[in-house]
Amino acid sequence: MLYVIIGEDVDESLEARQSVRPEHLARLEALRDEGRLVLAGPFPAVDGSDPGNAGFSGSLIVAEFDSLEQARAWADDDPYVGAGVYAQVSVRPFKKVLP
């Protein structure tokens, strides 16, 4: 089943984000390589594709997991969580309708 993971950044998260980004991306690439990743990306803190020093306000991941518990465990192990990037993370079942 698909699950959506939404991480909401703490204020001034850019430095912490950048410090663990390679590890964060490696986990997403593993999901992609397993055919389980639908989409993933950050929310720019300003209206633009390159927020510069404004950074990001959070992230969205849609991926396939066997259960809600497995999706939550995967989200809890994210390097952004360990580095204090996220103030909170929510995980919910997701039903893709389009496209």
Side-chain angles (χ1 to χ4, degrees):
M1 178 163 185
L2 294 178
Y3 294 88
V4 63
I5 299 169
I6 299 175
E8 296 181 35
D9 283 25
V10 299
D11 292 336
E12 307 294 325
S13 63
L14 187 57
E15 187 175 326
R17 225 178 217 281
Q18 291 172 332
S19 73
V20 293
R21 186 170 187 260
E23 294 89 346
H24 171 78
L25 291 178
R27 296 178 82 236
L28 292 170
E29 290 165 352
L31 284 178
R32 178 200 61 206
D33 293 348
E34 295 167 5
R36 297 170 46 205
L37 183 65
V38 175
L39 66 92
F43 301 120
V46 295
D47 188 13
S49 60
D50 181 4
N53 290 335
F56 301 93
S57 63
S59 303
L60 171 81
I61 299 165
V62 179
E64 185 176 338
F65 294 94
D66 290 333
S67 67
L68 180 58
E69 293 76 22
Q70 186 186 57
R72 283 186 178 140
W74 188 92
D76 289 344
D77 286 340
D78 193 291
Y80 284 175
V81 172
V85 172
Y86 294 146
Q88 66 178 20
V89 177
S90 63
V91 181
R92 290 183 259 180
F94 180 76
K95 181 176 177 167
K96 182 178 174 184
V97 176
L98 293 171

mmCIF file of all heavy atoms in Angstrom, residues 44-50:
data_model
loop_
_atom_site.group_PDB
_atom_site.id
_atom_site.type_symbol
_atom_site.label_atom_id
_atom_site.label_comp_id
_atom_site.label_asym_id
_atom_site.label_seq_id
_atom_site.Cartn_x
_atom_site.Cartn_y
_atom_site.Cartn_z
ATOM 1 N N PRO A 44 9.990 24.248 -0.882
ATOM 2 C CA PRO A 44 10.775 25.469 -0.729
ATOM 3 C C PRO A 44 10.078 26.429 0.248
ATOM 4 O O PRO A 44 8.854 26.533 0.263
ATOM 5 C CB PRO A 44 10.809 26.057 -2.140
ATOM 6 C CG PRO A 44 10.558 24.882 -3.047
ATOM 7 C CD PRO A 44 9.618 23.998 -2.274
ATOM 8 N N ALA A 45 10.889 27.117 1.049
ATOM 9 C CA ALA A 45 10.336 28.043 2.040
ATOM 10 C C ALA A 45 9.803 29.319 1.397
ATOM 11 O O ALA A 45 9.074 30.077 2.051
ATOM 12 C CB ALA A 45 11.389 28.383 3.091
ATOM 13 N N VAL A 46 10.165 29.558 0.155
ATOM 14 C CA VAL A 46 9.668 30.716 -0.590
ATOM 15 C C VAL A 46 9.106 30.220 -1.917
ATOM 16 O O VAL A 46 9.349 29.087 -2.321
ATOM 17 C CB VAL A 46 10.783 31.755 -0.844
ATOM 18 C CG1 VAL A 46 11.273 32.353 0.474
ATOM 19 C CG2 VAL A 46 11.945 31.159 -1.620
ATOM 20 N N ASP A 47 8.364 31.079 -2.597
ATOM 21 C CA ASP A 47 7.738 30.709 -3.859
ATOM 22 C C ASP A 47 8.770 30.749 -4.982
ATOM 23 O O ASP A 47 8.952 31.772 -5.637
ATOM 24 C CB ASP A 47 6.574 31.659 -4.150
ATOM 25 C CG ASP A 47 5.756 31.218 -5.343
ATOM 26 O OD1 ASP A 47 5.919 30.068 -5.797
ATOM 27 O OD2 ASP A 47 4.954 32.036 -5.833
ATOM 28 N N GLY A 48 9.464 29.645 -5.170
ATOM 29 C CA GLY A 48 10.469 29.542 -6.209
ATOM 30 C C GLY A 48 11.131 28.187 -6.147
ATOM 31 O O GLY A 48 11.154 27.549 -5.099
ATOM 32 N N SER A 49 11.689 27.744 -7.277
ATOM 33 C CA SER A 49 12.297 26.419 -7.310
ATOM 34 C C SER A 49 13.633 26.372 -6.583
ATOM 35 O O SER A 49 14.061 25.316 -6.132
ATOM 36 C CB SER A 49 12.466 25.942 -8.746
ATOM 37 O OG SER A 49 13.307 26.840 -9.454
ATOM 38 N N ASP A 50 14.327 27.512 -6.464
ATOM 39 C CA ASP A 50 15.585 27.581 -5.729
ATOM 40 C C ASP A 50 15.425 28.588 -4.598
ATOM 41 O O ASP A 50 15.532 29.795 -4.822
ATOM 42 C CB ASP A 50 16.730 27.990 -6.643
ATOM 43 C CG ASP A 50 18.068 28.058 -5.919
ATOM 44 O OD1 ASP A 50 18.128 27.722 -4.715
ATOM 45 O OD2 ASP A 50 19.059 28.438 -6.557
#
